[in-house]
Amino acid sequence: DAGVIQSPRHEVTEMGQEVTLRCKPISGHNSLFWYRQTMMRGLELLIYFNNNVPIDDSGMPEDRFSAKMPNASFSTLKIQPSEPRDSAVYFCASSLRQGGETQYFGPGTRLLVL
Amino acid sequence: TQLLEQSPQFLSIQEGENLTVYCNSSSVFSSLQWYRQEPGEGPVLLVTVVTGGEVKKLKRLTFQFGDARKDSSLHITAAQPGDTGLYLCAAPASYGKLTFGQGTILTVHP
């Protein structure tokens, strides 16, 4: 099993640019989660999908952030425009079902906004 | 919001020492998970505890779920440099989410 795949692994961009992070969940998993991790705030849930439908986006910081899941095997997290305070590691995770199931995390995308 | 408080936040020890990490809450949980995150990687599940008072062992790691299902501990015996990482506890929250603790950063020096 390939596990959760994220791309890119590293992204360096300038303030104001659009950033798109990509995720391929484990095949057969019905739930997908986007997290942001920083030293100050730890691991924060941004949004989560179940069967490709957004269930809870209360963690999305502001309108600059958007996420889509057009099909069961692909999701994107977009930041437009990016700001230096968006610098963090962004993780995608998937689980077989919703409801406290084990989450399988990808390797993360390390984003630096200059 | 259900909060999980982990302690200590940082732990720096020598190889061979024992240590305990705590995860506490005022809420009762149906289950609790422990994850380990190594530098440059995503968190990986170590164990899930579901019954109050339950003890699970994973080699040198011992996990315990409190009798009231509000707290948990992770004890490592004879720590090794390979145990270095961020340890996170997590519990089910609303809408099928997991709520995570802030984590304990463990460094084991050779």
Side-chain angles (χ1 to χ4, degrees), chain B residues 28-60:
Chain B
V28 177
F29 296 109
S30 58
S31 64
L32 194 137
Q33 301 175 357
W34 284 93
Y35 289 78
R36 178 169 65 204
Q37 183 179 8
E38 298 185 9
E41 301 294 332
V44 175
L45 179 72
L46 294 173
V47 77
T48 301
V49 286
V50 296
T51 306
E54 181 177 7
V55 176
K56 280 192 174 179
K57 292 192 174 183
L58 190 65
K59 298 184 180 178
R60 295 175 293 100

Side-chain angles (χ1 to χ4, degrees), chain B residues 1-81:
Chain B
T1 302
Q2 298 165 311
L3 292 178
L4 290 171
E5 296 184 2
Q6 285 189 240
S7 62
Q9 278 189 278
F10 302 94
L11 203 48
S12 181
I13 62 172
Q14 293 296 125
E15 183 175 1
E17 293 183 12
N18 302 331
L19 66 112
T20 303
V21 175
Y22 299 93
C23 177
N24 297 301
S25 176
S26 57
S27 302
V28 177
F29 296 109
S30 58
S31 64
L32 194 137
Q33 301 175 357
W34 284 93
Y35 289 78
R36 178 169 65 204
Q37 183 179 8
E38 298 185 9
E41 301 294 332
V44 175
L45 179 72
L46 294 173
V47 77
T48 301
V49 286
V50 296
T51 306
E54 181 177 7
V55 176
K56 280 192 174 179
K57 292 192 174 183
L58 190 65
K59 298 184 180 178
R60 295 175 293 100
L61 279 60
T62 301
F63 304 85
Q64 185 160 8
F65 202 12
D67 291 340
R69 306 204 316 275
K70 291 183 178 182
D71 56 86
S72 182
S73 63
L74 158 59
H75 182 80
I76 301 179
T77 304
Q80 298 178 359

Side-chain angles (χ1 to χ4, degrees), chain A residues 23-34:
Chain A
C23 175
K24 177 178 168 55
I26 293 174
S27 177
H29 281 193
N30 293 327
S31 294
L32 183 140
F33 306 81
W34 281 103

Side-chain angles (χ1 to χ4, degrees), chain A residues 51-92:
Chain A
N51 292 324
N52 312 338
V53 176
I55 302 299
D56 184 355
D57 64 355
S58 60
M60 295 287 261
E62 49 198 274
D63 291 346
R64 297 185 298 106
F65 286 69
S66 63
K68 293 182 179 179
M69 192 165 185
N71 57 63
S73 59
F74 184 66
S75 177
T76 59
L77 177 68
K78 187 174 294 187
I79 309 173
Q80 166 63 18
S82 58
E83 296 183 3
R85 60 192 168 122
D86 301 331
S87 298
V89 183
Y90 290 81
F91 288 103
C92 175

